[in-house]
């Protein structure tokens, strides 16, 4: 990525971008260089979420850049100027790179004295909004003394709508002028956002939340619905931007303030439901709140102050294997000081993680159904759509949600899910604890949960519904809607032939599910059209020849696949005559419920999230530990050479000393980054989450196996997650935490058996 300025006469192509031609100037933070036809070193390395300010001074003819408000110095001088010369912002991007521009439509995060944005701020609106906000605050902070009959000041913590006619009339007059201004993006972020953040920063969370709720109540009371909705949308989008692009500071105070304000807004029921229905989970959005940005520049993140002493494992090679040698007393002291610094870092990260989990607990609230749908069921619709969009993005097209965001989202969702699961257990003793959680097998075949064409263990869903419809009727008391069954049957006549390699790779066991293995096809059926027709006729013939047991309409339930948008609360939780997600319980399954049906669907989504990208991202983060090991070995090798080098060879000693210094500085940097990775990704709590997910998959597979042929409906990703989560526990968390630390060994032994069995198949 190269960002900078160019004139209108510059011509770019796939090989030449901004900075590669005359009169175009650019800065590249990835390669840490500046460009104007030729290139030289300049600036610092940037990372995702950083803010680059591009500054041009046409009076002095200079061009400079700053990174997160820190000036990088003058990059270019003596710019071409004169009659007809004009410079425009420009950027050159590579594949999968993205950037967000702010030309002044929103307040600049890092304004620079002496420079103006390309788009001037709405000064008139800002002045009016600030004055009206002052009037608004004055009204709320004053009350009428009923004894003396005069206005007296009260504490902000006591703000509430008293219902006094004078106060209401005054507020109505203020909002008559204030409401139109609150629909402007700049005013919302510069005035309203600043006011609410000041409330959050000034007092304890409970008091701040009360004040924010009163403000939101007044917005909904005195403004038109469309005005409040526009204001809330801009407010939440501003919060998302502020959190996403906030720099990392040692105490994570900026992130904490933004999350606390988000919690205060989402705690307001009416505002939460609107935001959940219309803003959150559309594209990336709310997932940003669950991510903690990893610091690439250790010194700017404050890790040097937080972890002043660095340490790394000292290994010695022996017979081709690395073994940890016994540490000296000095190394032991360094290790303990390093571990104390890691614990301080972990505690600060845990504060942010707890706030993120609180946001999800608010979104999973199912008791706020006064006058509408509860938040949890709005969340389920959005969450399923989020999974579908990311599942369809696997392969050539990039996923909507970056893997590093998905990892954090997974852990916070597990925390909120287990909280509500165990809370329900406390009110319903016959249900199960979250430690015993699994997904019942009927969810995979009753059509209540949409798996958007993901592969099942027995093949495609349409194929399974045709070949196993009698098993569904006899074992699960389920009848597939005839119209839906007919539609899928006719679809098979139009679909393309299955490629030979794909058919060859399919396990023999999967082909045998629900019927005999197919016979070799005659040569005259090599035509694709005849092949499709033959397959359709064969299915029809098997259906006619297979004797069916008589079905009683009174004991059978007709089901049809429902999309996430079509379902109601009754379709999920059920009612007296409908079991919701659990319709079609096989006789092998226990009659008493596990937990609320909606939580079962959230659990199913968590398993799918791990399969989409979480496991892959966990593997990538191991690279930091590998880098530490490589540099540690290089440093040890250099130190050995220094000890063996003759003192008379000062030239060699000087070069070795330089190498030693470079390796030591790099290890200091990497060891602090590794501390962040261990605290945010590979902590013991994160390991227990993955361990819990492994046991969920194993129990789900075990219960599904009891259903016989209906086991073929289970999605393939359950088996993949069982194998991959065990692999992650064994290989990714191993250097930090041993699997022996996990409670019990039954699930681990089962995981080993599942892994071996899967490879055997």
């Amino acid at each position: 990525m190269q960002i900078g300025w160019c004139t209108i006469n510059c011509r770019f192509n796939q090989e030449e971008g901004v900075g590669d031609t005359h009169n175009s100037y650019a800065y590249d933070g990835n390669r840490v260089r500046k460009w104007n036809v030729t290139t030289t070193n300049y600036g610092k390395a940037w990372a995702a979420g950083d803010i680059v300010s591009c500054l041009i001074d046409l009076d002095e003819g200079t061009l400079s850049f700053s990174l997160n408000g820190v000036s990088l110095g003058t990059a270019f001088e003596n710019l071409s100027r004169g009659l007809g010369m004009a410079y425009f912002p420009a950027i050159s991007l590579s594949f999968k790179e993205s950037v967000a521009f702010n030309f002044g439509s929103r307040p600049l995060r890092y304004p620079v004295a002496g420079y103006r944005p390309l788009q001037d701020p709405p000064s008139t609106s800002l002045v009016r909004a600030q004055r009206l906000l002052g009037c608004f605050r004055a009204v709320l902070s004053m009350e009428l003394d009923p004894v003396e009959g005069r206005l007296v000041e009260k504490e902000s913590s006591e703000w509430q709508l008293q219902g006094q006619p004078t106060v209401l009339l005054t507020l109505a007059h203020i909002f008559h002028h204030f409401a139109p201004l609150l629909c402007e993006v700049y005013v919302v972020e510069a005035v309203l956002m600043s006011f609410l953040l000041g409330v959050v920063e000034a007092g304890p969370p409970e008091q701040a939340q009360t004040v924010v709720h009163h403000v939101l109540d007044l917005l909904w009371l005195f403004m038109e619905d469309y005005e409040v909705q526009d204001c809330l949308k801009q407010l939440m989008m501003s919060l998302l931007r502020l959190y996403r692009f906030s720099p990392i500071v040692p105490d994570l105070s900026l992130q904490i303030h933004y999350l606390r304000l988000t919690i205060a807004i989402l705690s307001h029921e009416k505002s939460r439901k609107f935001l959940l229905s219309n803003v959150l989970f559309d594209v990336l959005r709310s997932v940003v709140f669950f991510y903690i940005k990893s610091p690439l520049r250790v010194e700017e993140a404050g890790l040097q102050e937080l972890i002043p002493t660095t340490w790394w494992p000292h290994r010695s090679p022996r017979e081709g294997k690395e073994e940890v040698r016994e540490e000296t007393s000095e190394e032991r002291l360094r290790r303990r000081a390093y571990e104390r610094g890691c614990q301080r870092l972990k505690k600060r990260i845990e504060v942010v993680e707890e706030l993120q989990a609180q946001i999800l607990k608010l979104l999973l609230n199912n008791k706020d159904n006064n006058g509408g749908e509860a938040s949890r069921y709005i969340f389920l619709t959005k969450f399923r759509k989020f999974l579908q969009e990311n599942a369809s993005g696997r392969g050539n097209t990039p996923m909507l949600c970056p893997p590093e965001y998905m990892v954090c989202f997974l852990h916070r969702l597990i925390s909120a899910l287990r909280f509500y699961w165990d809370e329900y257990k406390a009110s319903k003793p016959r249900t199960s604890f979250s430690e015993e959680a699994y997904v019942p097998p009927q969810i995979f075949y009753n059509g209540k949960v949409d798996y958007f064409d993901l592969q099942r263990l027995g093949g495609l869903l349409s194929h399974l519904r045709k070949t196993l419809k009698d098993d569904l009727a006899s074992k699960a008391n389920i009848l597939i809607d005839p119209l839906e069954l007919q539609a899928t049957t006719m679809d098979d006549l139009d679909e393309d032939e299955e490629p030979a390699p794909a058919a060859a790779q399919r396990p023999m066991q999967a082909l045998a599910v629900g019927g005999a293995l197919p016979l070799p096809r005659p040569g005259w059926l090599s035509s694709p059209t005849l092949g499709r027709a033959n397959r359709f006729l064969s299915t029809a013939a098997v259906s006619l020849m297979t004797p069916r047991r008589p079905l009683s309409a009174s004991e059978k339930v007709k089901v049809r696949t429902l999309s996430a948008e079509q379902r109601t609360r009754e379709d999920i939780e059920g009612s007296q005559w409908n079991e919701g997600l659990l319709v079609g319980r096989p006789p092998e399954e226990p009659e008493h419920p596990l937990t609320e049906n909606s939580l079962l669907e959230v659990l199913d989504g968590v398993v799918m999230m791990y399969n989409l990208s979480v496991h892959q991202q966990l593997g990538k983060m191991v690279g930091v530990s590998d880098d530490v090991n490589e540099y540690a070995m290089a440093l040890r090798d250099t130190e050995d050479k220094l000890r063996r080098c003759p003192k008379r060879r000062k030239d060699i000693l000087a070069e070795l000393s330089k190498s030693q210094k470079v390796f030591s500085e790099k290890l200091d940097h990497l060891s602090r980054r590794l501390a962040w990775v261990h605290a945010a990704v590979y902590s013991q709590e994160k390991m227990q989450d993955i361990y819990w997910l492994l046991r969920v998959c194993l129990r789900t597979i075990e219960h599904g196996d009891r259903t016989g042929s209906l086991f073929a409906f289970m999605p393939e990703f359950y088996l993949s997650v069982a194998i991959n989560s065990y692999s992650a526990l064994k290989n990714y968390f191993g250097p930090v935490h041993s699997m022996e630390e996990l409670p019990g060994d039954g699930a681990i032994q089962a995981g080993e058996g599942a892994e071996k069995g899967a490879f055997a198949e």
Side-chain angles (χ1 to χ4, degrees), residues 331-347:
E331 291 171 348
R332 188 180 301 110
L333 291 175
R334 285 187 60 191
R335 175 175 58 81
R336 290 175 178 174
Y338 176 74
E339 290 173 349
R340 286 194 296 270
C342 293
Q343 282 299 117
R344 289 193 294 268
L345 174 63
K346 182 182 176 184
K347 288 180 180 179

Side-chain angles (χ1 to χ4, degrees), residues 100-113:
F101 282 103
N102 180 14
F103 298 119
S105 61
R106 304 186 308 275
L108 297 180
R109 177 70 66 86
Y110 303 108
V112 180

Side-chain angles (χ1 to χ4, degrees), residues 167-235:
V167 174
L168 293 176
L169 287 173
T170 305
L171 288 173
H173 182 69
I174 291 173
F175 273 97
H176 176 73
H177 301 279
F178 200 16
L181 298 175
L182 292 180
C183 296
E184 297 182 27
V185 179
Y186 202 105
V187 173
V188 168
E189 192 163 325
V191 178
L192 183 60
M193 175 71 72
S194 299
F195 165 62
L196 294 177
L197 280 174
V199 170
V200 170
E201 296 171 7
E206 297 78 11
Q207 177 181 329
Q209 192 171 112
T210 302
V211 174
V212 172
H213 282 195
H214 290 329
V215 172
L216 292 174
D217 284 337
L218 293 173
L219 293 180
W220 284 104
L221 179 63
F222 291 108
M223 295 170 63
E224 297 291 339
D225 282 355
Y226 73 89
E227 292 176 324
V228 185
Q229 291 168 2
D230 285 346
C231 177
L232 281 176
K233 183 174 181 179
Q234 298 302 336
L235 185 63

Side-chain angles (χ1 to χ4, degrees), residues 664-701:
S664 296
E665 291 176 351
K666 188 67 176 179
L667 278 168
D668 286 340
H669 173 87
L670 286 174
S671 64
R672 292 187 175 102
R673 277 204 65 202
L674 187 61
W676 181 281
V677 172
H678 286 173
V681 182
Y682 293 135
S683 68
Q684 188 173 22
E685 292 76 14
K686 309 300 188 301
M687 185 180 190
Q688 290 173 350
D689 284 347
I690 305 302
Y691 175 59
W692 178 77
L693 197 61
L694 166 63
R695 291 185 295 167
V696 166
C697 291
L698 293 176
R699 290 193 198 96
T700 301
I701 294 170

Side-chain angles (χ1 to χ4, degrees), residues 38-59:
T38 60
T39 177
T40 55
N41 294 330
Y42 174 79
K44 296 181 180 179
W46 61 33
D50 283 345
I51 297 178
V52 179
S53 302
C54 305
L55 311 170
I56 188 169
D57 187 338
L58 293 179
D59 293 327

